[in-house]
Amino acid sequence: YMFEVKVLECVNVADPVAQGNNNNRMSKNLVRVGFSTAGSSLILGATADSICFDSDGAIFHDKKRTVGGQRFGRDNVMAVLLNLDEKSENANTVSLFKDGKRVSQPQALPEGLKGKTLFPHIGFKNASVHVNFGPTPLAPLPFTCHMVQDAAKAHVKVTAYAAPADGKYDVAFPVSLPDEGTFAWLDMFLEK
């Protein structure tokens, strides 16, 4: 199964914390695409619960960075393919495609992710993205592949959540300043 992410916009934002000349004062654009388990860290690739490709051409899993992809950016359509077909020579792998062409060899799923329910996961900073789960790919691959939207019922796990009694949901949008304890607060909030 695959899903696609098209990078619509990359924004350069001045970073007042950066030191040095003006070339280093721009905050970096970053897009990560991959798969994670339910309840994984929101930061894709930071724990053993996820694996991803990033816009710098790296593969991340459990805070380990490996070169194995290709850079991507504005106007590129990235397809992340999760192959769980036991009959395939590339079973239990993830691959990255850029504008319909393979840009990474199939990467073996880490042992900790095999046999678990995996969810599409996208993370981005200073960028706007369009996500396509199907039914039709934006950039077709050189072979036939099902989109996540077309996953067989036997291959998916539907999670239902009870609606709040009053029918209203709470949404939190943390806003913070750099180096002012943002991650500590988020960790505390998530523990609750």
Side-chain angles (χ1 to χ4, degrees):
Y1 298 105
M2 74 166 193
F3 71 96
E4 294 174 313
V5 174
K6 181 175 183 175
V7 181
L8 300 176
E9 175 182 47
C10 293
V11 181
N12 292 320
V13 180
D15 186 354
V17 178
Q19 301 294 320
N21 64 31
N22 286 339
N23 293 336
N24 294 332
R25 297 184 64 91
M26 300 310 276
S27 187
K28 185 171 176 38
N29 302 313
L30 183 67
V31 178
R32 288 186 175 176
V33 293
F35 288 91
S36 64
T37 60
S40 70
S41 169
L42 296 177
I43 300 173
L44 192 55
T47 63
D49 297 341
S50 64
I51 187 168
C52 71
F53 298 91
D54 79 357
S55 53
D56 286 335
I59 301 165
F60 277 91
H61 168 69
D62 201 13
K63 296 183 187 175
K64 293 180 185 85
R65 181 181 195 274
T66 308
V67 177
Q70 189 180 92
R71 287 181 180 267
F72 60 90
R74 186 171 174 218
D75 296 327
N76 290 137
V77 176
M78 307 309 297
V80 186
L81 172 67
L82 175 64
N83 187 344
L84 300 176
D85 183 2
E86 295 298 331
K87 298 175 200 157
S88 169
E89 64 183 57
N90 294 322
N92 292 311
T93 62
V94 290
S95 301
L96 185 68
F97 293 80
K98 177 178 175 180
D99 301 320
K101 296 179 177 77
R102 184 183 292 277
V103 293
S104 85
Q105 290 302 312
Q107 303 294 314
L109 275 178
E111 286 299 320
L113 295 178
K114 290 181 181 176
K116 292 189 176 177
T117 302
L118 298 176
F119 298 88
H121 193 146
I122 302 106
F124 52 95
K125 173 183 170 186
N126 296 334
S128 298
V129 299
H130 166 79
V131 180
N132 180 28
F133 293 115
T136 306
L138 300 171
L141 303 182
F143 52 87
T144 303
C145 180
H146 293 286
M147 300 286 291
V148 169
Q149 178 179 321
D150 296 327
K153 286 190 178 192
H155 295 157
V156 298
K157 179 179 179 182
V158 177
T159 305
Y161 294 97
D166 62 1
K168 297 180 180 178
Y169 293 87
D170 291 329
V171 178
F173 292 100
V175 177
S176 62
L177 297 172
D179 298 325
E180 294 294 327
T182 305
F183 291 110
W185 182 87
L186 285 170
D187 288 340
M188 177 192 71
F189 179 80
L190 290 173
E191 285 177 11
K192 290 181 182 181

